[in-house]
Amino acid sequence: TTPTTAKDTKTLPAGHAAHGRSTAVTVALALVTLVLLGLAWALGVPALRRGLRSRQWRDAPLPADRVLLAWRSANDVLRRTGMGRRPHETFAEHARRAVPGARLSGDAESAMFGLAGDAAVANYAEDHVGDDVADRAAQAAAAVEEAILARRSRGQRMLWAIDPRPLVSPCRY
C-alpha cells in the first residue's frame, strides 16, 4: 500500500470543481436575466404608455373627449409633482392651486389656465367644443408637461418614464 500524506487527505471530493463552475454559471445567468428584465422594463413601460395614450386619442370620438384626455395628460404629470387635482376641486380651482405649486410661469401658466377652461366646457357642455379647441387643449397639455419636465433632473425624468403607475391607475379628470 501507498502511504498517504497530509496533502493527500486535503484533496477535494470528486466533482467539487465542476460544482464551483456551475454556481458561477448560475450567478452569471441570474445577473444576465436581471439586466434583461431591467432593460425590458426600461423600454417596455414607456412604449406601453405611448401605446395607451395613442389608443386613447385614436378612440376618442368627440373633440370634448380629446380635451378631457389632454386635461388628464397634464394632470398625470402634475400629480407626480404633488399637484394633482383633488376630488372636490373644479378645473379652475385646480389650475389656481397647481400653477404656483408646480412653479409654472409664462406660457405654461397661460396654457394651464386655458386648459382648465376648455376642460370645464368639455366636461359640462361637450356640444360646444370643436376640433380647434381639442387641438388647443393638446398643445396646452404638452406645454404644461414640457415646463414641468424641464424643471426636473435627468434622473427624475428617467424614473418618471419607467414608472408604471399611470398604466395601472390613470389619472381621472
Side-chain angles (χ1 to χ4, degrees), residues 4 7 11 14 20 31 51 59 77-78 89 127 136 153 160 167:
T4 58
K7 184 177 180 184
T11 59
L31 289 174
D59 293 347
V77 74
L78 284 165
E89 288 180 317
D127 295 343
R136 182 177 65 215
S153 70
W160 281 6
L167 292 170

Side-chain angles (χ1 to χ4, degrees), residues 126-139:
E126 67 183 37
D127 295 343
H128 293 90
V129 177
D131 287 327
D132 58 327
V133 176
D135 293 341
R136 182 177 65 215
Q139 291 171 356

Side-chain angles (χ1 to χ4, degrees), residues 107-154:
D107 292 340
E109 178 180 2
S110 297
M112 184 63 190
F113 285 120
L115 182 57
D118 291 341
V121 172
N123 197 50
Y124 299 109
E126 67 183 37
D127 295 343
H128 293 90
V129 177
D131 287 327
D132 58 327
V133 176
D135 293 341
R136 182 177 65 215
Q139 291 171 356
V144 169
E145 187 171 351
E146 278 179 33
I148 290 172
L149 292 176
R151 293 184 158 277
R152 299 295 177 252
S153 70
R154 182 182 186 142

Side-chain angles (χ1 to χ4, degrees), residues 57-114:
W57 280 95
R58 189 177 55 248
D59 293 347
L62 301 172
D65 295 329
R66 293 192 300 276
V67 169
L68 293 173
L69 281 171
W71 174 263
R72 275 192 294 227
S73 178
N75 200 24
D76 274 338
V77 74
L78 284 165
R79 184 171 49 165
R80 292 183 206 166
T81 68
M83 292 290 116
R85 185 171 175 223
R86 296 175 181 156
H88 66 275
E89 288 180 317
T90 66
F91 296 103
E93 288 170 340
H94 178 229
R96 283 192 298 273
R97 182 178 57 81
V99 163
R103 298 190 335 231
L104 298 176
S105 60
D107 292 340
E109 178 180 2
S110 297
M112 184 63 190
F113 285 120

Side-chain angles (χ1 to χ4, degrees), residues 42-56:
L43 296 174
V45 169
L48 285 171
R49 288 175 59 188
R50 281 190 305 274
L52 176 64
R53 183 179 280 186
S54 176
R55 191 186 82 225
Q56 287 172 332

